[in-house]
Amino acid sequence: MTIKISIDCMGGDHGPSVTIPAAISFVNSEPDAELILVGLEDVIRAELKKHHADAHPRLSVLHASEQVTMDDPLEVALRRKKDSSMRVAIEQVKESRAQACVSAGNTGALMAVSRYVLKTMAGVDRPAICSVMPNQKNGPTYMLDLGANVDCEPHHLHQFAIMGSVLVAAMEHIERPTIGLLNVGTEDIKGNEVVKATSKLLQADHERGALNFYGNVEGNDIFKGTTDIVVCDGFVGNVTLKAIEGVARLFADTLRAEFKRNWLSMLGALLGMGALKAVRNRVNPSRYNGASLLGLRGLVFKSHGGADAYSFEWAIRRAYDAAKNDVLAHLATMIAELMPRETTAQEAPGSTI
Amino acid sequence: MTIKISIDCMGGDHGPSVTIPAAISFVNSEPDAELILVGLEDVIRAELKKHHADAHPRLSVLHASEQVTMDDPLEVALRRKKDSSMRVAIEQVKESRAQACVSAGNTGALMAVSRYVLKTMAGVDRPAICSVMPNQKNGPTYMLDLGANVDCEPHHLHQFAIMGSVLVAAMEHIERPTIGLLNVGTEDIKGNEVVKATSKLLQADHERGALNFYGNVEGNDIFKGTTDIVVCDGFVGNVTLKAIEGVARLFADTLRAEFKRNWLSMLGALLGMGALKAVRNRVNPSRYNGASLLGLRGLVFKSHGGADAYSFEWAIRRAYDAAKNDVLAHLATMIAELMPRETTAQEAPGSTI
């Protein structure tokens, strides 16, 4: 079966100069993938030609006359730019012409337009952003929410845990992924009121065998790989994610500067090049690019705005894996099973998947 | 003038085997420093002897028969172990026999015992924990609160900003240190309700020239060095701090493992040893050890529990610098000036500095 992914080619800091090479490389690596390239047709075709891929049988171009910039307020993205590459790419998912969509556009706009076009999944109050971090067990740690919801109630965090669990089960083929609740200590008495109440909800699910709740985890557990999933509100998640990016950059920049300081250490860097590259590959956020917007009636993946082609290709790969592993159907089933009473009230009447 | 510091020698993962060598090294580096070594007298004297420092004129030993362990519940630290090395060390500050105290003991206990013994400073509702991070401008970024207060109201964050500002002004000799409010974006509309309300309080102080409020900052700004101080609640601060420690460890471990993989990269590491050491020194949390418990009627510094002697010495240095720069007096003055109406209600009657 073909897996079709729509790509917002105009999003991100670099637009088509990054998204098109990434799309070409990806489609050539997966024989069952088909990509719909959305954006300014002329620009996309020119870029394809540049890479001798203008006649690729599994790359199609779909014109969209506008684009959402990184600074566009939500209202502009939502109400004014109705023919933006972002929106048209998402509409492909809504109209079942693509199984997932990828954009490097501004996160707030992507979430708002996705919610508007696709609607929230029944049983989910608020979609969340879920991404992957490297850990010392050489596996991924999934973390959510990373910024969609800055003020959360316990039942929101509870829903994030369920969605994260389904995503990891489907993507990593783990039957009962472990869930950790991000906190300031591991003891039950630790934490703020929201986290303590969430812990009780998750504990109840654990006791009846519905979820594999490990308990509280701390910030360093993300990288230890203590649990498969780390749940937190979008404020904590976003701040933590950006702090991690900041410290990784400081580390990398300092390493580069120090190795350039004299010929001895430059030689050292040359000999240790393989090691340095391996470190970069291991902890480089590029490999972990591609955050999932979970809880929508369709699969949407967000690439880092500053992603290069290598990194953007990872985001496409995540979208492809999610589509191939039928994450959406698994989510719908599990949510219906675990949250029958929490069916959302703000859902648009008459909306269907 | 002599600067006297009391040291809880029994605290931390390693106790006297770390605290005593650190104390000896520190006292030898600062001719005006005097240290009071608190804990089991026999053990301390034996360790001093081992390092040929048993007759050091500026090291005195003060016996305390008990010790607070890392797992002791707060009640035990507070009510049962009245002769703990932690408590006796803090009492030296209370009784003006020392100008500051340093402990590597469990943070919760240290804060609770400090609050009990020293009391909270007039005008401060809640003491906070403030520590220092490295940044790309090669300077320190001060961040608070790092875990003392998991549920914060805007006026708490406001007080943290004032305390941080005074600390940085005194410690770094910066006249008007810049204050950033940790948030999920830089725009005013971003953030949760508490942060938005705090921003208004800080903006008002900025407009009347009382504080130098920069505005919102994001997680990566901590390491960019965008502002001198980053203010957040203790939940966010603690999770971020531990996540940073986790990613730093992952980075360092991966680097070590990769450089050991073959003789070529081992040679590379050997030649680049200086560079690798410089990186470690620059981003190593050890150099930034020594968190300040701010808002008490006395100076208390918390070392990381797992600190080695080098790192514990840094914590002593911070306490010494704070005492030498008269941080406590500056704090009292500035708080009286900026928060006259917010004088705390839960303050013990009749307590004095």
Side-chain angles (χ1 to χ4, degrees):
Chain A
M1 203 192 81
T2 310
I3 306 288
K4 283 194 189 175
I5 315 280
S6 58
I7 313 275
D8 165 12
C9 290
M10 313 307 287
D13 300 345
H14 312 295
S17 69
V18 152
T19 55
I20 304 294
I24 298 169
S25 169
F26 181 77
V27 87
N28 285 332
S29 74
E30 294 295 345
D32 65 348
E34 241 183 88
L35 304 180
I36 306 169
L37 308 175
V38 186
L40 294 172
E41 187 164 0
D42 295 353
V43 179
I44 295 176
R45 291 218 183 272
E47 192 71 29
L48 282 172
K49 202 159 189 174
K50 208 171 114 186
H51 296 276
H52 315 289
D54 41 337
H56 198 295
R58 290 181 285 116
L59 290 175
S60 59
V61 180
L62 181 60
H63 182 66
S65 62
E66 295 171 301
Q67 61 192 86
V68 174
T69 68
M70 289 315 236
D71 311 313
D72 273 340
L74 289 192
E75 311 80 69
V76 172
L78 262 178
R79 317 219 181 281
R80 300 251 196 91
K81 298 189 170 173
K82 295 197 175 170
D83 196 38
S84 73
S85 56
M86 181 188 278
R87 178 145 173 186
V88 173
I90 297 167
E91 279 167 352
Q92 302 313 300
V93 176
K94 165 79 179 168
E95 290 152 16
S96 304
R97 287 198 282 265
Q99 286 142 278
C101 162
V102 182
S103 173
N106 134 17
T107 313
L110 185 64
M111 182 55 104
V113 176
S114 298
R115 281 183 81 155
Y116 180 79
V117 171
L118 297 171
K119 311 298 178 218
T120 302
M121 187 175 266
V124 175
D125 286 320
R126 296 182 183 180
I129 301 173
C130 183
S131 195
V132 162
M133 309 276 173
N135 70 38
Q136 294 198 306
K137 291 181 177 165
N138 227 339
T141 302
Y142 284 70
M143 185 167 168
L144 76 168
D145 173 38
L146 294 180
N149 310 281
V150 292
D151 279 302
C152 287
E153 297 295 321
H155 70 279
H156 297 132
L157 294 177
H158 182 212
Q159 292 177 9
F160 300 165
I162 296 170
M163 295 195 288
S165 182
V166 176
L167 183 70
V168 173
M171 296 282 272
E172 306 291 332
H173 312 291
I174 297 172
E175 205 177 327
R176 300 190 75 236
T178 49
I179 299 164
L181 182 61
L182 196 56
N183 203 338
V184 297
T186 53
E187 308 88 335
D188 280 347
I189 54 150
K190 288 286 175 99
N192 57 31
E193 294 312 318
V194 171
V195 164
K196 283 186 206 166
T198 307
S199 178
K200 282 182 191 146
L201 294 174
L202 291 171
Q203 195 55 46
D205 276 345
H206 182 79
E207 278 158 19
R208 63 196 178 88
L211 289 179
N212 193 0
F213 179 50
Y214 171 89
N216 291 329
V217 293
E218 299 183 80
N220 50 342
D221 287 304
I222 303 167
F223 301 97
K224 275 191 189 167
T226 308
T227 56
D228 298 311
I229 301 143
V230 170
V231 173
C232 59
D233 72 45
F235 191 94
V236 173
N238 185 277
V239 164
T240 305
L241 180 72
K242 286 180 184 158
I244 290 163
E245 287 172 3
V247 80
R249 173 144 314 149
L250 176 66
F251 209 113
D253 287 357
T254 311
L255 203 62
R256 196 173 304 120
E258 288 300 335
F259 268 115
K260 276 189 185 160
R261 203 178 283 276
N262 60 53
W263 66 267
L264 207 67
S265 56
M266 272 166 83
L267 184 62
L270 207 68
L271 294 173
M273 186 86 83
L276 289 173
K277 267 200 186 145
V279 175
R280 210 190 58 178
N281 279 345
R282 177 87 188 285
V283 294
N284 191 345
S286 298
R287 255 192 68 195
Y288 300 91
N289 190 31
S292 173
L293 271 54
L294 278 181
L296 298 163
R297 298 174 183 228
L299 294 173
V300 179
F301 282 77
K302 153 81 183 138
S303 158
H304 204 291
D308 58 14
Y310 171 80
S311 176
F312 192 78
E313 192 181 336
W314 271 101
I316 305 177
R317 181 162 303 283
R318 276 187 202 284
Y320 167 88
D321 285 347
K324 194 152 187 165
N325 288 308
D326 228 352
V327 164
L328 203 63
H330 286 297
L331 266 175
T333 311
M334 184 83 164
I335 283 165
E337 205 171 287
L338 282 183
M339 303 190 291
R341 293 141 305 173
E342 288 180 276
T343 306
T344 165
Q346 71 258 50
E347 192 185 319
S351 62
T352 50
I353 290 182
Chain B
M1 202 192 83
T2 310
I3 306 287
K4 283 194 189 178
I5 314 280
S6 59
I7 313 276
D8 165 12
C9 291
M10 313 307 286
D13 300 346
H14 313 294
S17 69
V18 151
T19 55
I20 304 295
I24 297 168
S25 169
F26 179 78
V27 86
N28 284 331
S29 73
E30 295 295 344
D32 65 348
E34 241 184 87
L35 304 179
I36 306 169
L37 307 175
V38 185
L40 294 172
E41 187 164 0
D42 294 354
V43 179
I44 294 175
R45 291 217 184 273
E47 192 69 31
L48 282 171
K49 202 160 190 175
K50 209 171 111 187
H51 296 275
H52 314 291
D54 40 337
H56 198 293
R58 290 181 285 115
L59 290 176
S60 59
V61 180
L62 181 60
H63 182 66
S65 62
E66 295 171 302
Q67 62 192 87
V68 175
T69 69
M70 288 315 236
D71 312 314
D72 273 341
L74 288 192
E75 310 82 70
V76 172
L78 262 179
R79 318 218 181 284
R80 300 252 196 88
K81 296 187 170 173
K82 295 195 176 171
D83 196 37
S84 72
S85 55
M86 180 188 279
R87 177 146 173 184
V88 174
I90 297 167
E91 280 166 352
Q92 301 315 299
V93 176
K94 165 80 179 165
E95 290 152 16
S96 305
R97 287 197 281 263
Q99 285 140 278
C101 161
V102 181
S103 173
N106 130 22
T107 312
L110 184 63
M111 182 55 105
V113 176
S114 298
R115 280 183 82 154
Y116 180 81
V117 171
L118 297 172
K119 310 298 177 219
T120 301
M121 188 174 266
V124 175
D125 286 321
R126 296 182 182 181
I129 301 173
C130 182
S131 196
V132 164
M133 309 276 173
N135 69 38
Q136 294 197 308
K137 292 182 177 164
N138 227 338
T141 302
Y142 283 71
M143 185 168 167
L144 78 167
D145 172 36
L146 294 180
N149 309 283
V150 292
D151 280 302
C152 286
E153 297 296 321
H155 70 280
H156 297 132
L157 295 176
H158 181 212
Q159 292 176 10
F160 300 166
I162 296 170
M163 294 195 289
S165 181
V166 176
L167 183 70
V168 173
M171 297 282 273
E172 307 292 332
H173 312 291
I174 297 173
E175 205 176 329
R176 298 189 76 236
T178 49
I179 299 164
L181 183 60
L182 196 56
N183 203 339
V184 297
T186 52
E187 308 87 335
D188 279 348
I189 55 150
K190 289 285 176 102
N192 57 31
E193 294 313 316
V194 171
V195 164
K196 283 185 207 165
T198 306
S199 179
K200 282 182 192 147
L201 294 175
L202 291 172
Q203 195 54 47
D205 277 344
H206 182 78
E207 279 158 19
R208 62 196 178 89
L211 288 179
N212 193 359
F213 179 49
Y214 171 90
N216 292 328
V217 293
E218 300 184 80
N220 50 342
D221 287 304
I222 302 166
F223 301 97
K224 275 191 191 166
T226 308
T227 55
D228 297 312
I229 301 143
V230 170
V231 173
C232 59
D233 73 45
F235 191 95
V236 172
N238 185 277
V239 163
T240 305
L241 180 72
K242 286 180 183 157
I244 290 162
E245 286 173 4
V247 80
R249 175 145 310 150
L250 175 66
F251 209 113
D253 287 358
T254 311
L255 203 63
R256 197 173 301 120
E258 289 300 335
F259 268 116
K260 277 188 184 161
R261 204 179 280 278
N262 61 51
W263 66 267
L264 207 65
S265 56
M266 272 166 82
L267 185 60
L270 208 66
L271 294 174
M273 186 85 83
L276 289 172
K277 265 198 189 148
V279 175
R280 208 189 60 178
N281 278 347
R282 176 87 189 284
V283 295
N284 191 344
S286 298
R287 256 193 67 195
Y288 301 91
N289 190 31
S292 173
L293 272 54
L294 278 181
L296 299 163
R297 299 174 182 229
L299 294 172
V300 180
F301 282 77
K302 153 81 182 137
S303 159
H304 204 290
D308 58 13
Y310 171 80
S311 175
F312 192 78
E313 192 180 335
W314 271 102
I316 305 177
R317 181 162 303 281
R318 274 186 204 285
Y320 168 87
D321 285 346
K324 195 151 184 166
N325 289 308
D326 228 353
V327 164
L328 203 63
H330 287 297
L331 267 175
T333 311
M334 184 84 164
I335 283 166
E337 204 172 288
L338 282 182
M339 305 189 290
R341 294 139 307 171
E342 290 179 276
T343 306
T344 165
Q346 73 257 49
E347 192 186 318
S351 63
T352 51
I353 290 182

